[in-house]
Amino acid sequence: MLSDKLNLSEQLKLIAKTIGFMSLNDDVKPVDQLFAGSQDQELEKLHPELQDANNQISQLNKSDIVEMKAIRSPPKALQDVAEATCILFAKAPSYKNFLVLTADMNFTQNLVNYDIDSVSDYSLKELEKYMSQSTYTPDYTNKVSKTGGALCSWTRAIYNYAKHKNNTSLFRLPSQDTILVRTYFEINY
């Protein structure tokens, strides 16, 4: 199934290419390039948080991931981190779907290369319930699992960046993906 292999943004780009539309912006910027020449000082303050989260993810090894995957009935802290990670990858929030994500040999690379500009308003809203919990912190989650702590840092960094970016827009145009999906359905239905 397509959704098992590609996140929502990738699926929409594939649909757009399939029906003959050119993508307006195919490049995914690495974290370092997002802040180059940025006038937004608040956004620049989030750069160390993103870098730290990506460093934690990069330091995870296969045994760290295997250790977390071996937990069949995770504590609430790990369940929450797993669900938040699923939301960012456009999967239904469940530990089962998280295990599917971690089965990808490039799981940590997918996290590090995540397109942080692709976080939808819907995903932000869904993530709020986790971010608002007093126990959804890297320190708390680290007590349960090193991988869980790193993922908690990562999801928080992505959430903070996306929330700030969305809140600082003076006006928001529909995203390219929204336009492509609307166009696709207008043509085909």
Side-chain angles (χ1 to χ4, degrees), residues 56 60 63-65 67-69 71 75 77-78 81 95 98 137-152:
Q56 288 180 45
L60 294 176
S63 65
D64 294 326
I65 304 296
E67 177 187 349
M68 191 164 172
K69 287 170 57 173
I71 301 170
L78 291 184
V81 166
Y95 199 72
F98 173 75
T137 65
D139 290 338
Y140 183 82
T141 311
N142 249 335
K143 294 175 185 174
V144 180
S145 162
K146 173 186 171 184
T147 305
L151 286 168
C152 185

mmCIF file of all heavy atoms in Angstrom, residues 56 60 63-65 67-69 71 75 77-78 81 95 98 137-152:
data_model
loop_
_atom_site.group_PDB
_atom_site.id
_atom_site.type_symbol
_atom_site.label_atom_id
_atom_site.label_comp_id
_atom_site.label_asym_id
_atom_site.label_seq_id
_atom_site.Cartn_x
_atom_site.Cartn_y
_atom_site.Cartn_z
ATOM 1 N N GLN A 56 20.869 13.784 18.688
ATOM 2 C CA GLN A 56 20.445 12.658 19.523
ATOM 3 C C GLN A 56 19.959 11.497 18.660
ATOM 4 O O GLN A 56 20.272 10.339 18.940
ATOM 5 C CB GLN A 56 19.330 13.097 20.472
ATOM 6 C CG GLN A 56 19.793 13.994 21.591
ATOM 7 C CD GLN A 56 18.636 14.389 22.484
ATOM 8 O OE1 GLN A 56 17.823 13.551 22.857
ATOM 9 N NE2 GLN A 56 18.560 15.663 22.817
ATOM 10 N N LEU A 60 21.695 7.369 17.870
ATOM 11 C CA LEU A 60 21.027 6.101 18.146
ATOM 12 C C LEU A 60 21.604 5.018 17.241
ATOM 13 O O LEU A 60 21.887 5.256 16.081
ATOM 14 C CB LEU A 60 19.521 6.218 17.889
ATOM 15 C CG LEU A 60 18.739 7.150 18.795
ATOM 16 C CD1 LEU A 60 17.287 7.233 18.346
ATOM 17 C CD2 LEU A 60 18.819 6.707 20.256
ATOM 18 N N SER A 63 20.753 -1.235 18.020
ATOM 19 C CA SER A 63 20.333 -1.900 19.263
ATOM 20 C C SER A 63 19.410 -1.005 20.096
ATOM 21 O O SER A 63 18.532 -1.511 20.798
ATOM 22 C CB SER A 63 21.547 -2.345 20.084
ATOM 23 O OG SER A 63 22.289 -1.239 20.528
ATOM 24 N N ASP A 64 19.587 0.321 20.004
ATOM 25 C CA ASP A 64 18.690 1.237 20.713
ATOM 26 C C ASP A 64 17.268 1.120 20.163
ATOM 27 O O ASP A 64 16.292 1.096 20.914
ATOM 28 C CB ASP A 64 19.156 2.694 20.577
ATOM 29 C CG ASP A 64 20.484 2.951 21.261
ATOM 30 O OD1 ASP A 64 20.754 2.327 22.310
ATOM 31 O OD2 ASP A 64 21.255 3.786 20.741
ATOM 32 N N ILE A 65 17.169 1.059 18.843
ATOM 33 C CA ILE A 65 15.861 0.938 18.187
ATOM 34 C C ILE A 65 15.253 -0.426 18.496
ATOM 35 O O ILE A 65 14.068 -0.536 18.830
ATOM 36 C CB ILE A 65 15.978 1.140 16.661
ATOM 37 C CG1 ILE A 65 16.641 2.482 16.315
ATOM 38 C CG2 ILE A 65 14.627 0.997 15.976
ATOM 39 C CD1 ILE A 65 15.882 3.703 16.729
ATOM 40 N N GLU A 67 15.758 -2.291 21.054
ATOM 41 C CA GLU A 67 15.339 -2.310 22.455
ATOM 42 C C GLU A 67 13.926 -1.725 22.601
ATOM 43 O O GLU A 67 13.081 -2.279 23.293
ATOM 44 C CB GLU A 67 16.331 -1.508 23.304
ATOM 45 C CG GLU A 67 15.948 -1.401 24.757
ATOM 46 C CD GLU A 67 16.865 -0.461 25.531
ATOM 47 O OE1 GLU A 67 17.917 -0.060 24.992
ATOM 48 O OE2 GLU A 67 16.513 -0.135 26.665
ATOM 49 N N MET A 68 13.670 -0.613 21.934
ATOM 50 C CA MET A 68 12.347 0.003 22.034
ATOM 51 C C MET A 68 11.296 -0.844 21.323
ATOM 52 O O MET A 68 10.169 -0.960 21.780
ATOM 53 C CB MET A 68 12.364 1.425 21.475
ATOM 54 C CG MET A 68 11.108 2.189 21.791
ATOM 55 S SD MET A 68 11.339 3.935 21.535
ATOM 56 C CE MET A 68 9.663 4.498 21.748
ATOM 57 N N LYS A 69 11.680 -1.451 20.202
ATOM 58 C CA LYS A 69 10.746 -2.294 19.453
ATOM 59 C C LYS A 69 10.374 -3.551 20.243
ATOM 60 O O LYS A 69 9.298 -4.112 20.044
ATOM 61 C CB LYS A 69 11.350 -2.696 18.107
ATOM 62 C CG LYS A 69 11.403 -1.563 17.104
ATOM 63 C CD LYS A 69 12.197 -1.887 15.885
ATOM 64 C CE LYS A 69 11.727 -3.094 15.141
ATOM 65 N NZ LYS A 69 12.412 -3.312 13.868
ATOM 66 N N ILE A 71 9.623 -3.790 23.286
ATOM 67 C CA ILE A 71 8.600 -3.503 24.304
ATOM 68 C C ILE A 71 7.220 -3.668 23.657
ATOM 69 O O ILE A 71 6.850 -2.908 22.771
ATOM 70 C CB ILE A 71 8.773 -2.078 24.867
ATOM 71 C CG1 ILE A 71 10.167 -1.921 25.485
ATOM 72 C CG2 ILE A 71 7.678 -1.763 25.877
ATOM 73 C CD1 ILE A 71 10.515 -0.488 25.841
ATOM 74 N N PRO A 75 5.166 1.720 28.382
ATOM 75 C CA PRO A 75 4.655 2.668 29.370
ATOM 76 C C PRO A 75 4.090 3.894 28.644
ATOM 77 O O PRO A 75 4.409 4.139 27.481
ATOM 78 C CB PRO A 75 5.887 3.049 30.194
ATOM 79 C CG PRO A 75 7.010 2.232 29.698
ATOM 80 C CD PRO A 75 6.583 1.504 28.481
ATOM 81 N N ALA A 77 4.727 7.012 28.667
ATOM 82 C CA ALA A 77 5.710 7.941 28.091
ATOM 83 C C ALA A 77 6.145 7.483 26.698
ATOM 84 O O ALA A 77 6.210 8.284 25.758
ATOM 85 C CB ALA A 77 6.922 8.080 29.016
ATOM 86 N N LEU A 78 6.427 6.192 26.548
ATOM 87 C CA LEU A 78 6.839 5.659 25.243
ATOM 88 C C LEU A 78 5.666 5.591 24.269
ATOM 89 O O LEU A 78 5.840 5.846 23.075
ATOM 90 C CB LEU A 78 7.472 4.283 25.392
ATOM 91 C CG LEU A 78 8.829 4.233 26.076
ATOM 92 C CD1 LEU A 78 9.384 2.819 26.069
ATOM 93 C CD2 LEU A 78 9.810 5.185 25.442
ATOM 94 N N VAL A 81 5.254 9.112 22.859
ATOM 95 C CA VAL A 81 6.317 9.444 21.906
ATOM 96 C C VAL A 81 6.090 8.703 20.583
ATOM 97 O O VAL A 81 6.237 9.287 19.504
ATOM 98 C CB VAL A 81 7.707 9.113 22.494
ATOM 99 C CG1 VAL A 81 8.783 9.129 21.433
ATOM 100 C CG2 VAL A 81 8.051 10.080 23.615
ATOM 101 N N TYR A 95 1.049 2.456 18.684
ATOM 102 C CA TYR A 95 2.357 1.822 18.862
ATOM 103 C C TYR A 95 2.620 0.826 17.736
ATOM 104 O O TYR A 95 3.753 0.670 17.287
ATOM 105 C CB TYR A 95 2.439 1.142 20.233
ATOM 106 C CG TYR A 95 3.855 0.872 20.659
ATOM 107 C CD1 TYR A 95 4.689 1.916 21.042
ATOM 108 C CD2 TYR A 95 4.366 -0.412 20.671
ATOM 109 C CE1 TYR A 95 6.006 1.678 21.422
ATOM 110 C CE2 TYR A 95 5.676 -0.664 21.053
ATOM 111 C CZ TYR A 95 6.485 0.386 21.429
ATOM 112 O OH TYR A 95 7.780 0.155 21.802
ATOM 113 N N PHE A 98 3.885 2.712 14.892
ATOM 114 C CA PHE A 98 5.245 3.133 15.217
ATOM 115 C C PHE A 98 6.230 1.994 14.920
ATOM 116 O O PHE A 98 7.298 2.222 14.354
ATOM 117 C CB PHE A 98 5.343 3.563 16.681
ATOM 118 C CG PHE A 98 6.735 3.859 17.128
ATOM 119 C CD1 PHE A 98 7.369 5.032 16.750
ATOM 120 C CD2 PHE A 98 7.428 2.950 17.922
ATOM 121 C CE1 PHE A 98 8.672 5.295 17.152
ATOM 122 C CE2 PHE A 98 8.720 3.206 18.330
ATOM 123 C CZ PHE A 98 9.344 4.389 17.945
ATOM 124 N N THR A 137 8.398 15.132 28.236
ATOM 125 C CA THR A 137 9.694 15.818 28.203
ATOM 126 C C THR A 137 10.785 14.791 27.941
ATOM 127 O O THR A 137 10.646 13.614 28.317
ATOM 128 C CB THR A 137 10.008 16.525 29.538
ATOM 129 O OG1 THR A 137 10.152 15.528 30.567
ATOM 130 C CG2 THR A 137 8.920 17.526 29.916
ATOM 131 N N PRO A 138 11.871 15.222 27.317
ATOM 132 C CA PRO A 138 12.981 14.287 27.083
ATOM 133 C C PRO A 138 13.547 13.711 28.385
ATOM 134 O O PRO A 138 13.863 12.512 28.444
ATOM 135 C CB PRO A 138 14.022 15.144 26.357
ATOM 136 C CG PRO A 138 13.222 16.227 25.716
ATOM 137 C CD PRO A 138 12.080 16.500 26.645
ATOM 138 N N ASP A 139 13.652 14.531 29.410
ATOM 139 C CA ASP A 139 14.208 14.038 30.674
ATOM 140 C C ASP A 139 13.353 12.924 31.266
ATOM 141 O O ASP A 139 13.871 11.895 31.700
ATOM 142 C CB ASP A 139 14.341 15.176 31.692
ATOM 143 C CG ASP A 139 15.440 16.159 31.320
ATOM 144 O OD1 ASP A 139 16.359 15.782 30.559
ATOM 145 O OD2 ASP A 139 15.370 17.312 31.786
ATOM 146 N N TYR A 140 12.062 13.136 31.280
ATOM 147 C CA TYR A 140 11.145 12.128 31.825
ATOM 148 C C TYR A 140 11.180 10.854 30.977
ATOM 149 O O TYR A 140 11.279 9.746 31.504
ATOM 150 C CB TYR A 140 9.722 12.693 31.892
ATOM 151 C CG TYR A 140 8.734 11.743 32.520
ATOM 152 C CD1 TYR A 140 8.620 11.651 33.904
ATOM 153 C CD2 TYR A 140 7.917 10.930 31.729
ATOM 154 C CE1 TYR A 140 7.722 10.780 34.491
ATOM 155 C CE2 TYR A 140 7.021 10.049 32.308
ATOM 156 C CZ TYR A 140 6.924 9.972 33.682
ATOM 157 O OH TYR A 140 6.038 9.100 34.254
ATOM 158 N N THR A 141 11.122 11.013 29.670
ATOM 159 C CA THR A 141 11.075 9.856 28.772
ATOM 160 C C THR A 141 12.411 9.117 28.754
ATOM 161 O O THR A 141 12.448 7.895 28.605
ATOM 162 C CB THR A 141 10.668 10.297 27.349
ATOM 163 O OG1 THR A 141 9.513 11.113 27.441
ATOM 164 C CG2 THR A 141 10.356 9.117 26.467
ATOM 165 N N ASN A 142 13.511 9.843 28.932
ATOM 166 C CA ASN A 142 14.840 9.223 28.988
ATOM 167 C C ASN A 142 14.963 8.217 30.126
ATOM 168 O O ASN A 142 15.746 7.273 30.041
ATOM 169 C CB ASN A 142 15.924 10.287 29.147
ATOM 170 C CG ASN A 142 16.776 10.425 27.909
ATOM 171 O OD1 ASN A 142 16.903 9.500 27.120
ATOM 172 N ND2 ASN A 142 17.340 11.593 27.747
ATOM 173 N N LYS A 143 14.204 8.432 31.201
ATOM 174 C CA LYS A 143 14.234 7.508 32.333
ATOM 175 C C LYS A 143 13.700 6.134 31.934
ATOM 176 O O LYS A 143 14.059 5.129 32.518
ATOM 177 C CB LYS A 143 13.418 8.063 33.497
ATOM 178 C CG LYS A 143 14.002 9.309 34.107
ATOM 179 C CD LYS A 143 13.095 9.879 35.173
ATOM 180 C CE LYS A 143 13.633 11.202 35.680
ATOM 181 N NZ LYS A 143 12.710 11.851 36.611
ATOM 182 N N VAL A 144 12.847 6.124 30.911
ATOM 183 C CA VAL A 144 12.252 4.877 30.442
ATOM 184 C C VAL A 144 13.068 4.275 29.304
ATOM 185 O O VAL A 144 13.278 3.073 29.247
ATOM 186 C CB VAL A 144 10.792 5.129 29.980
ATOM 187 C CG1 VAL A 144 10.149 3.853 29.480
ATOM 188 C CG2 VAL A 144 9.973 5.751 31.092
ATOM 189 N N SER A 145 13.532 5.148 28.390
ATOM 190 C CA SER A 145 14.230 4.661 27.205
ATOM 191 C C SER A 145 15.059 5.778 26.578
ATOM 192 O O SER A 145 14.570 6.891 26.391
ATOM 193 C CB SER A 145 13.208 4.149 26.188
ATOM 194 O OG SER A 145 13.741 4.050 24.904
ATOM 195 N N LYS A 146 16.304 5.456 26.231
ATOM 196 C CA LYS A 146 17.168 6.418 25.538
ATOM 197 C C LYS A 146 16.556 6.813 24.192
ATOM 198 O O LYS A 146 16.523 7.986 23.833
ATOM 199 C CB LYS A 146 18.555 5.799 25.323
ATOM 200 C CG LYS A 146 19.487 6.629 24.485
ATOM 201 C CD LYS A 146 20.789 5.877 24.211
ATOM 202 C CE LYS A 146 21.635 6.610 23.204
ATOM 203 N NZ LYS A 146 22.852 5.867 22.862
ATOM 204 N N THR A 147 16.051 5.834 23.462
ATOM 205 C CA THR A 147 15.424 6.100 22.166
ATOM 206 C C THR A 147 14.181 6.955 22.344
ATOM 207 O O THR A 147 13.949 7.903 21.587
ATOM 208 C CB THR A 147 15.061 4.775 21.459
ATOM 209 O OG1 THR A 147 16.234 3.972 21.374
ATOM 210 C CG2 THR A 147 14.490 5.019 20.085
ATOM 211 N N GLY A 148 13.391 6.637 23.352
ATOM 212 C CA GLY A 148 12.192 7.426 23.638
ATOM 213 C C GLY A 148 12.535 8.871 23.957
ATOM 214 O O GLY A 148 11.859 9.798 23.497
ATOM 215 N N GLY A 149 13.602 9.085 24.717
ATOM 216 C CA GLY A 149 14.036 10.439 25.046
ATOM 217 C C GLY A 149 14.464 11.210 23.809
ATOM 218 O O GLY A 149 14.130 12.388 23.642
ATOM 219 N N ALA A 150 15.211 10.537 22.931
ATOM 220 C CA ALA A 150 15.657 11.189 21.695
ATOM 221 C C ALA A 150 14.464 11.526 20.805
ATOM 222 O O ALA A 150 14.392 12.618 20.227
ATOM 223 C CB ALA A 150 16.640 10.285 20.950
ATOM 224 N N LEU A 151 13.511 10.611 20.711
ATOM 225 C CA LEU A 151 12.314 10.858 19.899
ATOM 226 C C LEU A 151 11.448 11.963 20.501
ATOM 227 O O LEU A 151 10.839 12.749 19.776
ATOM 228 C CB LEU A 151 11.504 9.582 19.727
ATOM 229 C CG LEU A 151 12.094 8.562 18.763
ATOM 230 C CD1 LEU A 151 11.379 7.225 18.885
ATOM 231 C CD2 LEU A 151 12.049 9.070 17.336
ATOM 232 N N CYS A 152 11.404 12.035 21.811
ATOM 233 C CA CYS A 152 10.662 13.101 22.474
ATOM 234 C C CYS A 152 11.298 14.452 22.140
ATOM 235 O O CYS A 152 10.598 15.411 21.796
ATOM 236 C CB CYS A 152 10.629 12.868 23.984
ATOM 237 S SG CYS A 152 9.609 14.062 24.878
#
